[in-house]
């Protein structure tokens, strides 16, 4: 079986419990225990997010310290981001939908970093194209429903002055050999790529740096982004800030199943946010990995395995009514629902969700400025 190999720029190998567990050990993160889950559940007044229940968000770094602060009434803030190298797919939304829940549950400020500089340095894409994706991706993300008063979007090029000022503090404490070891870079990588991690670390202390108020930062991301924050945890205490805490997810797999993550570089592996109802349906029918049997007759007799079925997985992410999810699970497993029907149910759910985003985009476009990072908005 192919070992799961993960860097921020390349993910290969099988996505299964065993390989995630190996990664957890290798990266030195902690699994979210049932006790920790129960603690979050209490704070969320029993409305635990399904990604936590299903252990999609499965690991963390010092999440307990964030909860301690919250319970004492000390504010913390959230930070997450996106590298705008192309159209977004539904996998990219996973950390953002979860972050939205965190913002609402904890009433927290949120920084969203768009690493346009990173994508220019690591991809063969022009600055003009990247600027276009930055703009479109931000609108997609904000369409999920973030609070304009508490959400601050930073694009690295646009906020270069502020970010670079603090990035040099980080860079002074990070050696070339650390970056090579943590990110797997080599002597033939360009020097911009070597420096870039300093830029992605800055938002993990930007609010305390600007406001002068000591506060913790919680960073949600899929596990490929962990290397940055491992370095951040070494450096930030040296600058007088708290180590950032993390809450870490697994990947949404490719349509074809667990042998790869959903990725925009493999178009047939992904459902993009601008895919039409017809395209979503066709992609699921043609590519979606099914836990069903070879023939309808066999499936009616023996039932499907929903636990490995892409369409069921995605449906269960999007359907908020847990009773409905349980019902579909039971029917699919018992053979009452066939694979084609499961795909159709999931396709409808995904398209309804995407249509909601497309409708809200128009309003966001008109009010984009309300969400942009502005030091004057940080008056807390
Ligand atoms: P990017 O644009 O590659 O990915 C954006 C976010 O989506 C996560 N992700 C996925 N989650 C679930 N399933 C998938 N198949 C999948 N593919 C990607 C990523 O882990 C990420 O959380 N350098 C970053 C941008 C960034 C950032 C951050 C991300 C800047 N600061 C702080 C997280 C936290 C990037 O290129 O992400």
């Amino acid at each position: 079986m192919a070992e799961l190999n993960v860097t921020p720029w390349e993910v290969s190998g099988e996505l299964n419990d065993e390989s995630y567990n190996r990664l957890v050990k290798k990266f030195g993160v902690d699994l979210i225990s049932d006790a920790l889950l129960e603690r979050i559940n209490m704070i969320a007044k029993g409305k635990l997010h399904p990604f936590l229940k299903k252990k999609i968000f499965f690991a963390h770094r010092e999440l307990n310290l964030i909860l301690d602060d919250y319970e004492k009434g000390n504010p913390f803030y959230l930070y997450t981001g996106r590298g705008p190298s192309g159209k977004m797919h539904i996998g990219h939304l996973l950390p953002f939908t979860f972050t939205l829940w965190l913002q609402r549950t904890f009433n927290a400020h949120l920084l969203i970093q768009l690493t346009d500089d990173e994508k220019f340095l690591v991809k063969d894409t022009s600055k003009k194209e990247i600027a276009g994706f930055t703009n479109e991706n931000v609108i997609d993300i904000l369409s999920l429903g973030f609070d304009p008063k508490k959400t601050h979007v930073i694009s690295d090029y646009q906020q270069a002055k502020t970010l670079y000022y603090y990035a040099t503090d980080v860079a002074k404490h990070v050696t070339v050999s650390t970056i090579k070891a943590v990110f797997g870079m080599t002597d033939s990588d360009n020097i911009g790529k070597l420096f870039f991690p300093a830029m992605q670390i800055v938002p993990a202390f930007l609010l305390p740096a600007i406001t002068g108020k000591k506060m913790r930062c919680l960073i949600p991301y899929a596990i490929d982004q962990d290397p940055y924050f491992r370095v951040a945890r070494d450096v930030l205490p040296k600058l007088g800030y708290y180590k950032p805490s993390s809450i870490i997810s697994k990947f949404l797999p490719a349509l074809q199943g667990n042998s790869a993550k959903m990725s925009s570089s493999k178009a047939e592996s992904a459902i993009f946010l601008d895919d039409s109802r017809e395209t979503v349906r066709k992609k699921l029918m043609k590519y979606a990995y099914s836990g069903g049997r070879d023939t309808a007759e066999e499936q009616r007799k023996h039932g499907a395995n929903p636990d490995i079925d892409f369409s069921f997985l995605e449906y269960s992410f999007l359907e908020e009514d847990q009773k409905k999810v349980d019902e579909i699970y039971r029917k699919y497993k018992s053979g009452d629902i066939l694979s084609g029907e499961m795909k159709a149910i999931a396709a409808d759910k995904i398209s309804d969700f995407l249509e909601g985003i497309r409708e809200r985009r128009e309003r966001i476009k008109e009010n984009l400025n309300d969400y942009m990072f502005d030091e004057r908005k940080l008056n807390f």
Side-chain angles (χ1 to χ4, degrees):
M1 186 201 309
E3 173 106 13
L4 183 55
N5 225 322
V6 170
T7 76
W9 304 293
E10 184 87 51
V11 176
S12 63
E14 193 81 20
L15 311 175
N16 56 36
D17 285 351
E18 203 183 306
S19 54
Y20 277 119
N21 283 339
R22 249 186 310 217
L23 217 53
V24 161
K25 284 214 184 77
K26 189 169 153 196
F27 286 2
V29 298
D30 294 314
L31 291 172
I32 298 180
S33 67
D34 289 343
L36 189 55
L37 218 51
E38 187 43 39
R39 201 174 160 201
I40 306 169
N41 190 36
M42 297 281 282
I43 292 174
K45 302 196 174 71
K47 290 193 178 144
L48 205 56
H49 194 280
F51 291 171
L52 282 169
K53 278 192 206 154
K54 295 196 176 88
K55 306 248 161 146
I56 302 296
F57 273 82
F58 75 119
H60 74 106
R61 291 177 186 273
E62 289 189 330
L63 179 58
N64 48 314
L65 296 185
I66 296 283
L67 302 180
D68 290 349
D69 267 12
Y70 178 75
E71 283 177 340
K72 281 187 216 139
N74 299 333
F76 71 90
Y77 73 102
L78 296 160
Y79 157 44
T80 194
R82 156 78 182 148
S85 58
K87 292 197 294 189
M88 288 181 78
H89 58 62
I90 54 173
H92 290 130
L93 288 190
L94 212 119
F96 289 101
T97 46
F98 184 65
T99 303
L100 175 64
W101 178 82
L102 288 171
Q103 180 176 61
R104 288 181 176 165
T105 302
F106 292 94
N107 193 21
H109 279 266
L110 162 67
L111 291 185
I112 302 177
Q113 182 183 34
L114 274 292
T115 52
D116 37 16
D117 56 341
E118 172 194 14
K119 293 302 156 182
F120 177 67
L121 290 164
V122 305
K123 296 247 173 185
D124 201 10
T125 313
S126 72
K127 281 187 179 162
K128 197 163 167 218
E129 271 178 290
I130 290 174
F133 289 131
T134 304
N135 198 40
E136 291 300 310
N137 290 180
V138 169
I139 298 170
D140 286 334
I141 293 166
L142 295 174
S143 301
L144 292 174
F146 292 100
D147 176 355
K149 289 202 189 66
K150 296 203 154 188
T151 302
H152 315 274
V153 175
I154 308 170
S155 109
D156 286 359
Y157 283 135
Q158 275 169 42
Q159 267 75 43
K161 189 175 166 199
T162 309
L163 292 174
Y164 182 72
Y165 181 77
Y166 292 112
T168 54
D169 290 326
V170 177
K172 203 166 177 172
H173 291 280
V174 184
T175 63
V176 175
S177 62
T178 296
I179 292 296
K180 279 189 184 171
V182 174
F183 292 89
M185 286 188 211
T186 67
D187 283 351
S188 53
D189 278 305
N190 70 54
I191 59 171
K193 205 172 154 185
L194 230 67
F195 175 80
F196 169 73
M199 294 291 277
Q200 184 154 330
I201 290 172
V202 170
F205 64 97
L206 189 59
L207 289 200
I210 288 177
T211 62
K213 295 201 177 116
K214 219 160 162 155
M215 64 183 122
R216 292 190 184 276
C217 175
L218 174 63
I219 318 176
Y221 51 84
I223 196 156
D224 60 330
Q225 298 297 311
D226 191 67
Y228 293 103
F229 305 116
R230 223 177 307 150
V231 176
R233 287 172 59 80
D234 277 346
V235 174
L236 265 51
K238 295 178 186 158
L239 303 177
Y241 303 106
Y242 290 126
K243 291 181 180 191
S245 296
S246 309
I247 184 154
I248 306 168
S249 79
K250 298 175 183 171
F251 298 110
L252 182 67
L255 280 163
Q256 291 80 356
N258 284 343
S259 57
K261 74 168 188 125
M262 185 170 282
S263 162
S264 19
S265 46
K266 295 186 205 97
E268 74 287 355
S269 80
I271 292 174
F272 293 97
L273 303 192
D274 63 352
D275 280 350
S276 68
R277 212 165 254 280
E278 190 49 31
T279 307
V280 171
R281 203 180 165 88
K282 273 194 191 145
K283 279 188 179 170
L284 284 190
M285 292 299 170
K286 187 161 175 197
Y287 299 118
Y289 187 77
S290 164
R293 307 275 171 174
D294 289 343
T295 64
E297 196 189 335
E298 267 185 64
Q299 189 158 328
R300 281 210 184 86
K301 210 159 146 198
H302 304 294
N305 179 0
D307 296 314
I308 57 164
D309 188 283
F310 180 90
S311 304
F312 177 76
L313 181 78
E314 189 55 36
Y315 170 78
S316 71
F317 286 172
L318 296 176
E319 176 53 68
E320 282 170 18
D321 185 345
Q322 191 55 39
K323 280 202 199 97
K324 282 192 187 161
V325 177
D326 294 343
E327 177 74 0
I328 298 280
Y329 185 91
R330 194 185 55 72
K331 285 188 171 164
Y332 195 31
K333 204 176 167 99
S334 69
D336 285 353
I337 290 179
L338 299 180
S339 300
E341 293 169 87
M342 185 66 243
K343 288 183 176 195
I345 293 169
D348 278 346
K349 196 83 212 161
I350 294 169
S351 294
D352 291 348
F353 173 68
L354 295 184
E355 257 165 35
I357 291 185
R358 290 195 283 257
E359 270 166 35
R360 289 190 297 271
R361 280 180 60 94
E362 295 314 309
R363 201 166 34 81
I364 296 293
K365 265 190 206 166
E366 286 162 20
N367 301 305
L368 210 48
N369 266 339
D370 295 350
Y371 296 88
M372 294 301 136
F373 179 85
D374 179 345
E375 291 195 17
R376 286 166 303 182
K377 257 171 78 184
L378 303 176
N379 54 353
F380 53 86

